[in-house]
Every structure is written in structure tokens, then in C-alpha cells.
Amino acid sequence: MDHKHLDKVSTAGLLIALGIIYGDIGTSPLYVMQAVVGENPISERLALGAVSCVFWTLTLLTTIKYVILILRADNRGEGGVFALYTLVRKHARWLTVPAIIGGAALLADGIITPPMSVASAVEGLEMRYPHLEKYIIYIILVIITILFLIQALGTQLVGRSFGPLMFIWFSMLGFFGVLWISHDWTILRAISPYYAYDMLAHEAGGFWLLGSVFLCSTGAEALYSDMGHCGRGNIRVSWVFVKLCLMLQYFGQGAWLMEHTGEFLRGRKPIYEMMPEWFLLPGITIATMAAIIASQALITGSFTLISEAIRLNFWPKVKLRYPSNEKGQLYVPSVNWLLWAGCMGVVLYFRESTNMEAAYGLAITLTMLMTTMLMAYYLYTHRFNFYGVILFLVVYLSIEFSFLLANLLKFTHGGWVSLLIGTTIAGVMIIWLRAFNIKARLTEYVKLSDYTEPLKELSRDMSIPKYATHLIFMSNASRVSEIESKVIYSIFQKRPKRADIYWFVHVDTVDDPYTMEYKVNVIAPDDVIKVTFRLGFRVEQRINLYFRKVIQDMVKRKEVDITSRYESLNKQNVIGDFRFVVLEKFLSFENDLPFWERITMQAYFYIKAFTTSEDRWFGLDSSAVKIEKVPLIIRPAQNFDLKRVTD
């Protein structure tokens, strides 16, 4: 994506941006003030300080860090912690650590966000219909289930239908905010950072209130993650409207709190208290729709993250679907239902939004910290002013570490849930990456030139039944001159495979998200050919389709003859048959590995059993694919005492 297109602004793009990415940050007024006040009596210091903290958090974290600075770091129009990682990973291996932690924490947040947002909205029904209290949890479960069911339709349809609803939601926030600000214009004093300092320094447990204040910015990461769906220009322009409406609402809530000093909230939600009674039911309905959209932001981001994690060897190869031809449209069925199961568990465990607040926010602070580290390295490697990079790092690490420390207070009250989920996800990523590195380090490659003549002789050996006219092996060998020894073993030893032409296909996943290139190396004309595909980390691997295109191009250039070599069929110009062979590795019992490597590989193969098979991942026609299992002997056992005896 060129920068001109990325920065393009359109009415449709603005509407889709409103529908996809602002749900999480846009529904924060449902619970932030309630969380900050908590069990404390409402005071002028608390009201002014809470609004001031929210104003400066949204300004420093969301506006300056994400909207102004981090949106600049696009990878051909794509954003997110993994897209940022691909821009800097060649400079230092240790950057893998913040990438994995950031990605895992964001996925964990995707499990907490839907229950928190939907519960906060639906619980407003208790104000109007107290008898519904015992049914609220079932309403929440049904709403979340419907949300996950519609994901297969694609984010474009979701964004277009949700966009107008979010416009209504933000307009409503702004309207009631202005209405209550007019009750007490002195609330505008909260723009001064003095009131934030006053609350944090002098209110009881002041510093720890930052954990609740942070909830106002939990959706900031979605702005960056979904840049590929909406475009940078649309995000920046729409954020002006979104932030204005949010701040009017927060200042309005502050004015309402000022009017009720000395009282306790005791479960009351300022956002609903500001509405006239006749508007309460429509207000709750609009809030519930906005909460559903809040969930959408993290779900969309989760799909994007997983697709990138797969290409980076951080995640198992799972089925990916592309609901439309729109760039960036993606649906991951397995992740969709894992998120759904996690959301159900969170709702059933915590039951109320006030309980969920403890688990909410802790994981996302880790994501923000990791993004700050990666962004600082990006600025450094792209020749930005060194002192400016240091200033960026110091300022944002200080702010985000403060939020992290404040959020740690929530650990025993439910924060452990999000950290447990995040740790589990990070564990899978670490296992997958370590197993990939172990296999790559110890996979044996041989010179293809050493086997060119034997392959030509095998092709002419009429004493061996022909296996296929065109035999295609999927290969991990990135060098044109090499091939895995297991492939040679399969051709010559496991079962001799005679073919007229041997093809070796390698897929190289590159950091550019939408690259689609291929290179052909004819090792021996009409006998041995190697094809290398260079595909971006966002490109669907439809190798069957791409390979067919390669064949068509080569035939047109008269580089290969694909007609059948059977005499009767050749006379009729019948195209020869094509057969793919995919070598599927399994862990051999002959291995003698160090303890941790053995555990890693066992976990790897256990997880792999539940994932998409290699042929389906590459998009191969199953009727023309042979799956051949080969043992992965990483380190053969040698130290054993075996004696021969005689009778």
C-alpha cells in the first residue's frame, strides 16, 4: 500500500473506522468513573482529579503516542505489534521477546473486553427493571455468542453496519456531556494537570487509582492494529470526532459527580444517571450496541495478530478464511471459537462488570509497554534524532510502568486471570518458535546438483513403475542449490518414485505484507526444476493456484513441456498428471534430546495434532496430494549398551 492511499480519507472509510476500531475505547465511559470512585465518597478533588487524569491519559497515550507517532510506523499499510516487529527484527534477535509478550497480552485482552463492555452496558437494565437482575448474565452470554457467530461474514460488512451505530453512540455521549457541563462550567478546570496530581498525591490510595484511570485508554492499541482495515488518514480524522465526544462525556460525568459530592455510588453508573428517565431504555440499547462493537475491535485485531503470528512462526498453522476480496479482510475460525469459549468462562466466573474490572487493563498495559520498546527501536533504526528517541522512551516507559504498577494491585482480585491467559498464549508462541528453530538448526540439507544425474536416470528407468508425470515436493530449503535429505530419501529409498519431471517448491514468507512473486530455476531442462514463491505475511497460501499460474507462464515461454509422456496420450496432447508430495514429520523414538528440548518438541507435536495439515495449509488439491510421514530424528540416541550373545 502506498502512503498516498494509506492517508486517503473518505466518508465510507471514516464510517468503517468508527465501526471497527473505536468500540473498546468508545465504551470506556460506561465504567471508568465508576471504577475510579469505587467505594469512596464522592468529593470535588476526586471528581476533578479523575476527569483530569482521563483527559491527559487520552492525550498523551492515545493521541500523541498512537495517533500521531506510532501510526507512522506502517508496514506497507499494516499496523500492530507484529507488523512493527517485522520492521525491526533484522536488527536484533532479542526483539522477539517484546513482540511475543505484546501479542500474547493483546490476545488475552481480546478475551476480557467483550464480557466487560457488554456487561457494563446491559447492567443498566437493572435501573429500569430491577426484576431482571437474575437474567442479566444470560442476556450477556446470548449477546456475546451472537457477536462471535457473525464474524464469518467479514469485518467489511460488520464495519459498514456498525459505523452508523457508533456515530449515534458518540453523538449521544457528546450531547449529554454538554448538557451536564452546562450545569457546572467549573468542571472545565480539570483540563489543568494540577488536578490530576492533586488527586494522585492527596486522595486516599491516590496512586493506585491509576489502575482504574487506565481503563479509558484500553482500546488505543486497536487503532494501530486495525490500520490495514481502515487506513491511517481515516483513523486520524475520525479520532478528532471520537476524542471530542469522549471528553465532553467525561467532563459531563465530572459535573454530575460534583453535584453529588459526599454521596456513594454504590453500583450507580454516572453515564446512565445523566440521562432523563424517559431516555434510559433507548440509551441502554444504544450502549449495548456500542459494547458489542467494542468487542468487535479486539476480535478483528486478534484475527490479524494470529495471521501474522503464523507467518512469523509464533503460532500453529490454523485455517484462515478471507470472506471478501477486500484487502485485510480475515476470519480465523479456531481463534474465533477459542475467544468465544474464553469470554463465556470470564462471564461465568466474574458474573458482574465490577468484578471484571480487576482483570481488565492489566494485560493491555504490557502490550503498550512492548509497543513502546519496539517503536523506540524503530525510531532509532530509521535515523530519528537520538535524543528525541530517548525522550520518547523515558516519557512513555515512565507513564506505562506507572499504570502497570497501579494495575498490579488488581492481581489478587482477578488480574491473575488475564495474566494466566496471556502466559498460556505466550507459552504456545515460545514453544512454536523454539521448535521451529530446533528443526531449522538440525535439518540436514544436501546439494541438489549431486542428485541431478541420478534423478534423470531414475526418470528413464523403465523397470520402475511411473509414480507421476510431474512430481512436486514441498521443500523448506531456501537456497536454490539445496534440498532436504528427507526429500532425496523419499524419492530414492522409501519407495522409488519415477517421474518425468521433478519439481521442488519452496515458499518464502517475507516481511512485506502483500508481496506475490516467484522465481524459477531450471536445474535440468525438462527434468529438475525448482520454484520459489515469495509471499507476504498477509497473503493466503494457495500454492495449488499459484503453481498452475507458474506452469502456464512457463509453457507460454516454451520453458517446459507438460504433455503426457505416455505415447498414446502424447499423440493427443493430453496434459500429464501432477502429484504433490508433502513430508509430514513426526518425532522419532530414536531421539536422545536434552530435557528442555525434549519437552519443547513433545509439546510442539502434541499441539500440531490439533492444527491444520500441511497440504490444507498450502492450499493443495487433496485429490493430487500424497502425505508421507517421515521421522524427525533430531539427535539419535548413541549411548546404549547392546551386547550380542550366543547360545
Side-chain angles (χ1 to χ4, degrees):
M1 179 185 286
D2 58 59
H3 287 273
K4 187 176 179 181
H5 182 72
L6 181 62
D7 293 321
K8 184 181 176 183
V9 179
S10 66
T11 304
L14 292 171
L15 208 58
I16 291 173
L18 280 178
I20 292 178
I21 65 177
Y22 291 117
D24 189 6
I25 203 165
T27 52
S28 56
L30 284 166
Y31 44 77
V32 170
M33 287 301 176
Q34 184 185 15
V36 174
V37 175
E39 302 297 321
N40 299 318
I42 300 169
S43 66
E44 182 176 306
R45 175 188 287 155
L46 191 58
L48 287 167
V51 175
S52 185
C53 280
V54 168
F55 175 80
W56 286 104
T57 298
L58 286 177
T59 300
L60 293 172
L61 272 189
T62 311
T63 304
I64 296 177
K65 179 186 170 183
Y66 281 95
V67 177
I68 295 176
L69 292 175
I70 290 188
L71 285 186
R72 298 174 64 175
D74 69 284
N75 187 352
R76 288 286 299 276
E78 297 300 326
V81 65
F82 287 151
L84 181 55
Y85 166 69
T86 59
L87 292 172
V88 296
R89 64 172 175 164
K90 63 182 179 182
H91 298 287
R93 291 187 63 182
W94 66 268
L95 294 170
T96 303
V97 175
I100 286 178
I101 293 173
L106 191 57
L107 286 168
D109 193 61
I111 292 174
I112 305 293
T113 296
M116 178 67 185
S117 302
V118 174
S120 297
V122 174
E123 284 168 2
L125 288 171
E126 296 176 20
M127 294 173 62
R128 186 74 181 267
Y129 307 105
H131 62 281
L132 286 178
E133 183 179 354
K134 60 183 178 181
Y135 300 108
I136 292 294
I137 190 170
Y138 301 109
I139 296 172
I140 295 168
L141 292 173
V142 169
I143 289 172
I144 291 174
T145 300
I146 292 171
L147 174 67
F148 280 99
L149 283 171
I150 66 171
Q151 292 305 310
L153 300 176
T155 54
Q156 185 185 27
L157 180 63
V158 171
R160 284 180 177 171
S161 58
F162 283 176
L165 287 168
M166 286 305 290
F167 179 79
I168 293 170
W169 165 252
F170 285 118
S171 299
M172 185 187 81
L173 291 181
F175 173 78
F176 284 111
V178 170
L179 194 65
W180 276 89
I181 290 171
S182 66
H183 287 202
D184 185 359
W185 290 98
T186 63
I187 189 63
L188 296 177
R189 290 177 292 162
I191 291 175
S192 169
Y194 166 78
Y195 294 98
Y197 164 78
D198 187 43
M199 182 191 78
L200 297 175
H202 301 114
E203 190 70 29
F207 174 79
W208 304 105
L209 293 178
L210 280 177
S212 298
V213 169
F214 180 76
L215 298 179
C216 74
S217 65
T218 51
E221 191 72 31
L223 274 71
Y224 184 41
S225 297
D226 286 324
M227 180 162 53
H229 296 266
C230 309
R232 179 167 53 211
N234 289 318
I235 293 173
R236 284 178 168 167
V237 172
S238 57
W239 173 245
V240 175
F241 168 72
V242 170
K243 188 186 179 186
L244 176 63
C245 293
L246 284 175
M247 290 320 308
L248 288 173
Q249 173 64 201
Y250 280 120
F251 277 101
Q253 290 191 24
W256 182 89
L257 290 171
M258 295 269 281
E259 204 168 281
H260 294 79
T261 54
E263 298 179 21
F264 291 87
L265 281 183
R266 301 194 191 286
R268 289 188 294 172
K269 293 182 181 293
I271 188 171
Y272 291 137
E273 296 289 340
M274 292 162 63
M275 297 177 185
E277 191 174 344
W278 63 267
F279 188 77
L280 195 57
L281 191 58
I284 292 169
T285 304
I286 296 169
T288 302
M289 293 305 299
I292 292 170
I293 297 162
S295 310
Q296 179 65 47
L298 267 296
I299 295 169
T300 302
S302 298
F303 293 161
T304 303
L305 271 173
I306 287 296
S307 70
E308 293 172 349
I310 292 170
R311 315 298 185 196
L312 294 168
N313 298 305
F314 288 169
W315 196 260
K317 292 174 180 176
V318 295
K319 192 173 185 180
L320 307 177
R321 288 183 185 169
Y322 298 81
S324 73
N325 292 325
E326 282 290 315
K327 189 174 181 180
Q329 300 298 302
L330 178 66
Y331 170 61
V332 188
S334 58
V335 174
N336 190 60
W337 297 116
L338 278 174
L339 289 175
W340 172 81
C343 289
M344 295 293 104
V346 167
V347 173
L348 293 171
Y349 180 76
F350 289 107
R351 305 189 75 82
E352 295 180 5
S353 64
T354 49
N355 299 331
M356 294 176 199
E357 287 166 9
Y360 195 45
L362 184 54
I364 204 69
T365 52
L366 288 172
T367 301
M368 288 190 174
L369 276 165
M370 300 305 111
T371 302
T372 296
M373 293 169 67
L374 291 170
M375 185 62 187
Y377 211 88
Y378 170 84
L379 294 172
Y380 172 70
T381 55
H382 284 69
R383 309 292 183 189
F384 281 78
N385 182 277
F386 177 75
Y387 295 105
V389 174
I390 295 297
L391 179 65
F392 169 83
L393 198 59
V394 170
V395 169
Y396 284 101
L397 286 184
S398 300
I399 294 171
E400 288 158 2
F401 265 119
S402 298
F403 280 124
L404 179 62
L405 286 173
N407 271 301
L408 286 175
L409 186 67
K410 302 177 178 181
F411 182 81
T412 56
H413 302 287
W416 63 270
V417 172
S418 58
L419 285 186
L420 177 64
I421 294 169
T423 302
T424 303
I425 295 169
V428 173
M429 291 183 177
I430 291 167
I431 287 169
W432 216 253
L433 184 62
R434 284 200 67 201
F436 173 81
N437 290 333
I438 290 170
K439 290 190 301 173
R441 187 180 77 238
L442 297 170
T443 298
E444 185 183 356
Y445 295 96
V446 294
K447 294 286 185 184
L448 192 51
S449 58
D450 293 344
Y451 294 91
T452 303
E453 286 303 317
L455 285 169
K456 290 164 73 173
E457 289 177 16
L458 177 61
S459 181
R460 294 190 292 267
D461 189 346
M462 298 301 175
S463 65
I464 300 173
K466 186 181 288 188
Y467 193 80
T469 303
H470 300 271
L471 186 59
I472 309 113
F473 277 86
M474 299 303 300
S475 167
N476 289 325
S478 56
R479 292 182 180 176
V480 174
S481 60
E482 294 181 341
I483 195 70
E484 296 99 313
S485 60
K486 293 291 182 187
V487 171
I488 298 300
Y489 171 82
S490 172
I491 295 173
F492 288 103
Q493 294 178 303
K494 185 157 188 177
R495 174 192 167 182
K497 296 178 177 66
R498 184 166 73 88
D500 293 314
I501 301 180
Y502 294 94
W503 301 79
F504 302 108
V505 176
H506 171 69
V507 180
D508 184 18
T509 303
V510 299
D511 289 347
D512 188 294
Y514 293 104
T515 294
M516 290 186 70
E517 300 173 349
Y518 75 90
K519 186 176 182 180
V520 175
N521 292 92
V522 179
I523 312 298
D526 274 341
D527 277 300
V528 182
I529 301 171
K530 185 162 186 177
V531 179
T532 301
F533 290 102
R534 297 182 73 251
L535 303 179
F537 63 85
R538 288 282 182 84
V539 175
E540 185 179 6
Q541 305 227 356
R542 303 162 72 180
I543 302 304
N544 210 70
L545 183 64
Y546 304 154
F547 186 71
R548 199 178 307 152
K549 172 66 174 170
V550 171
I551 296 295
Q552 289 172 358
D553 288 350
M554 291 184 69
V555 169
K556 194 181 295 183
R557 294 167 184 256
K558 297 183 178 179
E559 293 176 322
V560 68
D561 178 12
I562 61 170
T563 54
S564 176
R565 303 296 171 87
Y566 292 106
E567 191 174 337
S568 60
L569 298 178
N570 187 274
K571 289 178 181 177
Q572 301 175 52
N573 289 320
V574 174
I575 294 173
D577 60 308
F578 288 80
R579 192 167 191 183
F580 284 88
V581 176
V582 177
L583 301 182
E584 196 170 271
K585 300 179 179 69
F586 64 90
L587 193 61
S588 171
F589 288 109
E590 296 179 30
N591 284 300
D592 184 17
L593 296 170
F595 175 76
W596 286 114
E597 287 195 0
R598 185 168 70 250
I599 293 295
T600 297
M601 295 310 298
Q602 286 174 347
Y604 167 82
F605 280 105
Y606 176 78
I607 296 169
K608 195 174 187 295
F610 297 95
T611 61
T612 305
S613 61
E614 293 285 330
D615 59 317
R616 290 178 64 190
W617 168 253
F618 285 122
L620 303 178
D621 182 356
S622 58
S623 64
V625 176
K626 166 69 175 174
I627 305 295
E628 196 169 283
K629 292 189 177 293
V630 294
L632 180 64
I633 304 175
I634 297 175
R635 189 171 298 164
Q638 295 177 342
N639 297 322
F640 52 86
D641 189 15
L642 186 64
K643 297 180 180 178
R644 175 176 175 173
V645 296
T646 56
D647 293 334

